[in-house]
Amino acid sequence: MTVDAVSAPSSIHTGSTTDPAARKQVLDGEVFLKLLVTQLTHQDPSSPMDTNEMISQTTQLAMMEQLTALADSGAEAFALNMRQAASALIGQEATYKDADGKTVSGLVTKVSFDGPIPQVTIGDKTVALDVITGVTTAPTAPAPVSYTHLRAHETRGN
């Protein structure tokens, strides 16, 4: 009796679609778990996987999931910091370089969070937060002198 040779697949299908470009490109916990189950399912019964090796792979899966969660938290913190920085610019004088390389300055009047990078309105132009090259305190007008303040001063001094 002859047995046909069995070869390993050349690639691992990780998505539900048949289009290679649309397949999952990230080795996440789901893919790692599928690989572990496939390895256990197709292991040689006469030489099963060592318990220590299985524990090691399970530990690696847990570590990878924690690192992924940490990376996601870092990305969320960065996005929040950009929003806070953009919000703090309202009422400040900001400088950026336009498409021609010319330095433009103006008062920040508005901030938008529609996209991945906050958009800041300087004068009549809206630019991305990451193109701003400088910020200064906006000049303030002198405080108006009130009539009642002058009258109080006159009665005390004269």
Side-chain angles (χ1 to χ4, degrees):
M1 171 172 143
T2 57
V3 177
D4 294 332
V6 177
S7 63
S10 61
S11 66
I12 296 173
H13 178 68
T14 58
S16 60
T17 180
T18 57
D19 180 20
R23 289 184 183 159
K24 191 178 238 183
Q25 298 293 320
V26 178
L27 183 62
D28 62 0
E30 180 184 340
V31 174
F32 194 91
L33 193 56
K34 284 182 182 180
L35 286 171
L36 182 61
V37 169
T38 303
Q39 183 179 5
L40 289 172
T41 305
H42 296 94
Q43 70 181 340
D44 182 6
S46 64
S47 176
M49 180 188 290
D50 182 28
T51 306
N52 290 335
E53 185 179 340
M54 190 165 79
I55 290 171
S56 172
Q57 288 185 7
T58 306
T59 302
Q60 289 174 356
L61 170 63
M63 286 174 43
M64 184 179 65
E65 288 176 340
Q66 290 298 319
L67 287 173
T68 302
L70 183 62
D72 290 344
S73 294
E76 288 174 12
F78 179 70
L80 180 60
N81 283 341
M82 281 197 313
R83 288 175 178 230
Q84 288 174 333
S87 297
L89 293 177
I90 294 176
Q92 302 294 317
E93 188 85 19
T95 305
Y96 68 96
K97 292 193 184 229
D98 65 5
D100 299 330
K102 180 181 164 192
T103 301
V104 179
S105 294
L107 185 66
V108 176
T109 57
K110 181 175 137 184
V111 175
S112 171
F113 303 119
D114 286 340
I117 298 174
Q119 301 294 307
V120 178
T121 301
I122 301 173
D124 61 346
K125 297 287 183 184
T126 300
V127 297
L129 175 65
D130 58 355
V131 300
I132 294 176
T133 58
V135 179
T136 58
T137 303
T140 58
V145 178
S146 70
Y147 178 72
T148 55
H149 178 67
L150 286 175
R151 292 296 273 164
H153 182 67
E154 286 177 2
T155 58
R156 279 190 307 223
N158 291 336

